[in-house]
């Protein structure tokens, strides 16, 4: 973000809502007044989502956007409670091809996402089995990440 890069965020269902929540906290603000930061939820453009799903496959809805919008130095925040969402896995592959790092929010045993991540990537795993508990913890982690961004970039109070 300091170097003009952006964060692309994706997930399905509740994780799609979490992706939008995270992007909104960065673009607007979290707990301090600061300039907006470049973050895009890949879950929000219904025309892009439906045209990609129709013309290619549902598995490609995030990867195609990553390839169009991402560049080396950007970050993909990939959210999946199971770690097995095919369209999120495909987005991670696209991110790697372009030189993006991935931060993966997973649950359970990390699923296929845990196995797919490389050396530059980070997995934050919630080792619960109930989807609701994983989602509740993911939103806490998202808020912690927002705190960390504010603290590291703008010297806001140290994250709690």
């Amino acid at each position: 973000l300091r170097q003009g890069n952006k964060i692309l965020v994706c997930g399905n269902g509740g994780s799609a809502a979490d992706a939008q929540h995270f992007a909104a906290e960065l673009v607007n603000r979290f707990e301090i007044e600061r300039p907006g930061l470049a973050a895009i939820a890949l879950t929000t453009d219904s025309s892009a989502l439906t045209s990609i799903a129709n013309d290619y496959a549902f598995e490609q809805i995030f990867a195609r956007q990553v390839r169009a919008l991402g560049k080396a130095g950007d970050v993909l925040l990939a959210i999946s409670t199971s770690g097995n969402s095919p369209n999120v896995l495909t987005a991670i592959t696209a991110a790697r091809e372009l030189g993006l790092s991935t931060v993966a929010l997973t649950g359970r045993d990390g699923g296929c996402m845990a196995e797919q991540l490389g050396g530059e990537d980070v997995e934050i795993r919630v080792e619960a089995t109930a989807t609701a508990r994983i989602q509740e913890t993911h939103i806490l982690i998202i808020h912690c990440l927002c705190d960390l961004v504010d603290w590291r970039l703008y010297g806001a109070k140290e994250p709690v």
Side-chain angles (χ1 to χ4, degrees), residues 10-86:
C10 66
N12 296 292
S15 298
D18 289 345
Q20 291 170 222
H21 184 148
F22 179 77
E25 299 284 27
L26 292 187
V27 169
N28 185 24
R29 66 180 198 86
F30 184 56
E31 291 188 331
I32 64 166
E33 291 299 326
R34 58 154 169 75
L37 300 170
I40 303 168
L42 303 179
T43 57
T44 60
D45 185 340
S46 61
S47 294
L49 293 170
T50 57
S51 67
I52 295 165
N54 185 62
D55 293 351
Y56 297 95
F58 189 73
E59 182 179 300
Q60 296 296 320
I61 63 170
F62 301 135
R64 187 109 175 132
Q65 292 182 79
V66 167
R67 288 186 180 100
L69 301 170
K71 63 177 183 172
D74 290 346
V75 173
L76 174 67
L77 176 58
I79 308 171
S80 173
T81 58
S82 69
N84 293 316
S85 301

Side-chain angles (χ1 to χ4, degrees), residues 8-11 76-80 88-89 91-92 102-106 113:
L8 304 175
V9 197
C10 66
L76 174 67
L77 176 58
I79 308 171
S80 173
V88 177
L89 294 167
I92 294 170
T102 296
V103 175
L105 295 186
T106 66
M113 283 172 65

